[in-house]
Amino acid sequence: MTEFDSTCDLYDRFEKTARVADPVFRDFGLRRKFSGAAVTVKCFEDNSRVKETLGTPGQGKVLVVDGGGGLRAALMGDLIAKDAVRNGWEGVVIHGCVRDAAVLATLDLGIKALAAIPRKTVRNGEGQKDLPVTLAGIRINPGDLVFADEDGVLVLGEAEFGATG
């Protein structure tokens, strides 16, 4: 995990290059502040790639899910989130919904999503991984550094942060 004071301080420091997500996300996990290298998934109402990815080691990583802003089905619930915790993921940013919100609130994982809904997704093996995604007004590339806290989500290119971080 990359240490940082706050997204506000990072914005002040990297104002010209920082990408700040639109303020559309709610916090669902116990961890409110998290950061790491972006791993990206693009899917819509099928969480196959989300489950698959969070079932792998995730130390120092944040899963960024472009769920198309879908509000009809949850792309992550308590079972997949528990896998993420077991595998050391720093956090998950989902441009879509989650479910099992009461359980998610007890897990040591950063979780930002648009909303909660009880409906689960289908699993048809759909979705893509490790490609640039655009969500909440910003583009996120695999390997970009994602920083999240109570003020929002901020993204920096790895080279930008590494050069002066």
Side-chain angles (χ1 to χ4, degrees), residues 90-113:
E90 304 299 334
V92 183
V93 177
I94 299 176
H95 196 239
C97 291
V98 295
R99 62 187 246 157
D100 304 306
V103 176
L104 297 183
T106 69
L107 300 178
D108 186 20
L109 181 68
I111 303 169
K112 287 197 178 279

Side-chain angles (χ1 to χ4, degrees), residues 22-39:
D22 293 340
V24 296
F25 297 107
R26 290 177 41 199
D27 286 304
F28 288 93
L30 183 61
R31 194 182 293 179
R32 298 290 191 209
K33 179 179 172 183
F34 59 96
S35 63
V39 175

Side-chain angles (χ1 to χ4, degrees), residues 20-96:
V20 177
D22 293 340
V24 296
F25 297 107
R26 290 177 41 199
D27 286 304
F28 288 93
L30 183 61
R31 194 182 293 179
R32 298 290 191 209
K33 179 179 172 183
F34 59 96
S35 63
V39 175
T40 60
V41 165
K42 184 172 184 169
C43 59
F44 186 72
E45 295 184 3
D46 182 333
N47 69 351
S48 299
R49 298 289 85 78
V50 174
K51 178 177 174 42
E52 172 186 286
T53 304
L54 292 176
T56 64
Q59 289 80 6
K61 299 177 187 173
V62 172
L63 179 62
V64 178
V65 181
D66 177 0
L71 299 175
R72 296 188 303 192
L75 293 172
M76 186 179 75
D78 63 339
L79 299 178
I80 294 174
K82 287 177 183 177
D83 276 349
V85 171
R86 272 191 294 278
N87 287 303
W89 285 83
E90 304 299 334
V92 183
V93 177
I94 299 176
H95 196 239

Side-chain angles (χ1 to χ4, degrees), residues 145-164:
L145 296 175
V146 177
F147 301 89
D149 63 13
E150 296 86 349
D151 288 307
V153 176
L154 180 142
V155 177
L156 293 171
E158 192 174 14
E160 296 166 321
F161 189 78
T164 57

